[in-house]
Amino acid sequence: DAGVTQSPTHLIKTRGQQVTLRCSPKSGHDTVSWYQQALGQGPQFIFQYYEEEERQRGNFPDRFSGHQFPNYSSELNVNAVLLGDSALYLCASSQTWSYGYTFGSGTRLTVV
Amino acid sequence: TQLLEQSPQFLSIQEGENLTVYCNSSSVFSSLQWYRQEPGEGPVLLVTVVTGGEVKKLKRLTFQFGDARKDSSLHITAAQPGDTGLYLCAVSNYQLIWGAGTKLIIKP
């Protein structure tokens, strides 16, 4: 049973470029959340998608946007990336109202 | 101010020693989760505690939820190098709210 799959695993972008990260949730999960984790820190919540709509959003600028597709997979888009956007981006899936979150291995974004 | 305060932030001990990591808050939670994360990987759920005073064991790891459901601890007995990692506590409210983590290094 595949867990959460994220792609790509690593990404290097130049300041000002746009990036798209992808996430396939664990089978049976319908909710996808995205987190940003800087080195040595705990993850920071970006947003959560359920039924193809953004249900909750953390304290991130509008440059960060997302989408959820009918098959529950999700994308995270970051426009005009900044050096400070360099981080590990984690996708977590869950069943609605469930305690359990399953995380992917993340996408390491480096902005140069 | 962080909702969840984890201590210590960093711990480096010898193989075979015991250790305790703490997760404290002034808020009451319906449940609390502990995760372990290795470098370059996503966090992996270790346990969810939901009842005040609850104690859960996972091999050499013992998790306790405080009676008032404001704090939790993780105790590792006879630590092994494979226990090395970042230990994170988190509470769920649509999103996961995380502590800053305890970076644990077990030296052989």
Side-chain angles (χ1 to χ4, degrees), chain A residues 17-104:
Chain A
Q17 286 189 307
Q18 185 262 346
V19 301
T20 297
L21 311 181
R22 296 178 176 82
C23 173
S24 293
K26 182 178 178 179
S27 177
H29 286 185
D30 56 10
T31 302
V32 173
S33 305
W34 287 92
Y35 292 83
Q36 180 195 67
Q37 186 177 25
L39 205 60
Q41 297 183 20
Q44 298 293 313
F45 175 72
I46 304 175
F47 41 54
Q48 182 182 83
Y49 278 84
Y50 171 69
E51 291 190 340
E52 302 179 50
E53 291 193 358
E54 184 181 285
R55 182 161 70 175
Q56 279 258 311
R57 187 179 182 92
N59 188 25
F60 277 80
D62 292 343
R63 298 186 296 109
F64 289 77
S65 63
H67 189 77
Q68 185 179 34
F69 299 95
N71 66 353
Y72 307 119
S73 67
S74 177
E75 286 183 352
L76 163 64
N77 299 293
V78 185
N79 290 323
V81 293
L82 305 173
L83 292 177
D85 295 333
S86 295
L88 181 67
Y89 288 84
L90 295 164
C91 171
S93 72
S94 61
Q95 288 179 310
T96 313
W97 310 119
S98 156
Y99 292 130
Y101 291 81
T102 302
F103 281 82

Side-chain angles (χ1 to χ4, degrees), chain B:
Chain B
T1 304
Q2 283 229 303
L3 181 64
L4 295 173
E5 298 284 346
Q6 280 192 247
S7 61
Q9 291 183 319
F10 180 79
L11 189 57
S12 179
I13 62 173
Q14 292 294 136
E15 180 178 3
E17 294 183 8
N18 302 330
L19 67 107
T20 302
V21 175
Y22 299 93
C23 178
N24 297 310
S25 177
S26 57
S27 300
V28 177
F29 303 111
S30 59
S31 67
L32 186 143
Q33 301 176 9
W34 284 95
Y35 290 79
R36 177 169 166 261
Q37 184 178 23
E38 297 191 40
E41 297 290 328
V44 175
L45 178 65
L46 296 174
V47 76
T48 300
V49 286
V50 297
T51 305
E54 180 178 6
V55 177
K56 282 191 173 179
K57 292 194 174 184
L58 188 66
K59 297 184 181 178
R60 294 175 293 99
L61 277 60
T62 301
F63 304 86
Q64 185 163 8
F65 202 15
D67 290 341
R69 291 184 286 125
K70 292 182 178 181
D71 52 80
S72 182
S73 63
L74 157 60
H75 182 79
I76 301 179
T77 304
Q80 299 178 1
D83 296 328
T84 293
L86 179 68
Y87 289 81
L88 295 153
C89 64
V91 292
S92 181
N93 179 21
Y94 283 109
Q95 58 173 291
L96 281 172
I97 301 170
W98 302 84
T102 294
K103 186 173 183 180
L104 176 63
I105 296 176
I106 310 299
K107 295 176 286 188

